[in-house]
Amino acid sequence: MRSYLKPVLALPFAALPALAFAGATSCSKGATLKKNSRPNIIFIMMDDAGYGDFGCYGQQKIETPNIDAMADRGVRFSDMYTMAPLSSPSRCGLLTGQHAGHAQIRANDEMEDRGDVWDHAAMLADPYLEGQFPLAAGTPTLGSVLKSAGYSTAMVGKWGVGAPLSEGAPNNMGFDYFYGYNCQRLAHVYYPPFMWENRHRVYIEGNELLPPDTPLDEGADPYDIHSYDKYTQAHYSPDLMYERIEHYVDSVATTKTPFFLMWTTTVPHSSVQAPADEVQYYVNKLGDEEPVDGKNYYSSRYPHATYAAMITHIDRQIGDLVAHLKELGIYDNTVIIFTSDNGPANNTNSPMEYFESGGPFKCRKGWGKSSLHEGGIRMPFIVTYGDKLKGEGVQKTPFALPEGGRITSHMAQFTDVMPTLCELAGAKCPETDGISFLPVLQGKESKQKEHEYLYWEFPGGKGWVGVRYGSWKGFIKGVKEGVGDFSLYDLSTDPRESKDIAAEHPEVVAKMWEYVKASHSPVPSGNPKFELDIDSVAPKE
């Protein structure tokens, strides 16, 4: 196991001093743009939100006017993919630009050999039990690369790729400032007893420990909204995060230093929790519904209304942030990117079928999060840059997205974020599996380099391997059980992956196997849980 750093200082919320943000370093040799001419960059990533959870991607029930406004003034991607259908590996790939065949982290690993890491009381007492498997020291990340190019860097939200006492903690990975959940297990509650600010725990006055599997009181009426009062405490974590976001932007804006901010909200990941008046708005809109037993999460009187309210809450904050950037006079020089880490979850708290969260893709149990189906890995992705990206878009998708702004069908993956942001920032880009999509943003799609193929592997469940090659999409489900046969679909005519045509196109399957063999490398170190024995199921020469 990788080394850990001790001790850690715990501070009470009430004793929190005025926030101080580290200054940026000097520009790297890779910088090609003049000082202060580079854009600020804000990367907003939701947690377990589906392709179809937003109005600009076809959602009919959940209101997202500010995200939709981004689509109207920017570029909307129809064919953007995450690197993995689960939190930690998705974030690892995004931060490093490495696809799942090369990434250090390929699955969620809670490092359970440390002790009872699922016991929230034990984690509250001992920060050593928090967090997930860490990125290795010195790994180039979006934070460290942009910091080396003269950017002030910050992340507010969920981390999930390095426990707080490890070398993979945010401040060790290039982020000058961090506030939020280091550990994704603790991020399952929205009224947490503490958050991390840089290397310190900040205890939140009025929020007490309430593990996410806490049931209703014995004898409580599940139809009485007041039976759920205990789940709501003093401070809602998305609001605490947004306060830090505005404070950070205010602080760095006065320095004239370009900044890179990652806002990795935990919304709408279960448990579902939102302010009561915002939930009631959706109860009035959607009507009454049956309560749910949260099982591993909190129970909820109105799970549909609450899920919708959570997304609209973040949408409202995005609108507030845009307005604040305009007040500061920096909106026109700020690139804003919006996306989600992976597809929607399937549990009693996540009503993905009710909301058709997969959009045009099939999205039910086994077809969203934790799968390599389109519903698990195809992501909403919007980029704005003031009014610089306006223009007409031509839809080239087998399904219709709502009109507005520019729509690109350029096939892309989160690996492409690193080279794109480096090009925007004038930073020297490390070796990645990505291709900059800056020409798409500039309206020069004829000059855009294309991926020959995209690759995924995911050791969760029965073990998955996947390839997209042109309009062909193939995957293997069951590598851990010795399954080596590709299922194959033509997404240009079958985006819902309903008809397996592998038997009709052996030449395409053979090509996909070439890509798998070229893309998979053994995990360099760490938990064997991250590894798939692909050689055992590959066709013999």
Side-chain angles (χ1 to χ4, degrees), residues 44 59 61 74 77 140 151 161 226 246 287 320 380 442 461 501 530:
I44 305 169
Q59 177 57 228
K61 298 183 177 77
F77 284 67
Y151 274 67
V161 286
H226 294 295
E246 278 207 357
D320 290 344
Q442 295 171 328
I501 53 177
F530 295 164

Side-chain angles (χ1 to χ4, degrees), residues 449-497:
K449 294 181 179 179
E450 301 290 340
H451 286 278
E452 182 179 355
Y453 65 94
L454 300 179
Y455 176 75
W456 299 269
E457 60 182 64
F458 177 57
K462 297 179 181 179
W464 297 71
V465 174
V467 175
R468 178 164 170 186
Y469 162 45
S471 65
W472 299 107
K473 164 78 176 298
F475 59 78
I476 303 169
K477 179 181 178 182
V479 176
K480 289 182 178 179
E481 298 180 351
V483 176
D485 296 325
F486 265 97
S487 297
L488 182 67
Y489 306 92
D490 183 352
L491 297 179
S492 67
T493 58
D494 184 19
R496 292 177 64 83
E497 301 166 295

Side-chain angles (χ1 to χ4, degrees), residues 279-293:
V279 174
Q280 187 61 48
Y281 173 84
Y282 275 106
V283 173
N284 296 341
K285 177 178 179 176
L286 303 176
D288 198 9
E289 56 183 293
E290 288 295 306
V292 296
D293 177 353

Side-chain angles (χ1 to χ4, degrees), residues 375-390:
I377 57 176
R378 195 167 331 186
M379 297 292 99
F381 198 88
I382 305 167
V383 185
T384 65
Y385 187 3
D387 290 325
K388 298 177 179 66
L389 305 183
K390 281 186 174 181

Side-chain angles (χ1 to χ4, degrees), residues 295-313:
K295 295 183 180 178
N296 294 325
Y297 302 104
Y298 293 151
S299 297
S300 177
R301 175 62 188 89
Y302 299 110
H304 297 171
T306 308
Y307 184 89
M310 293 171 75
I311 291 177
T312 297
H313 190 88

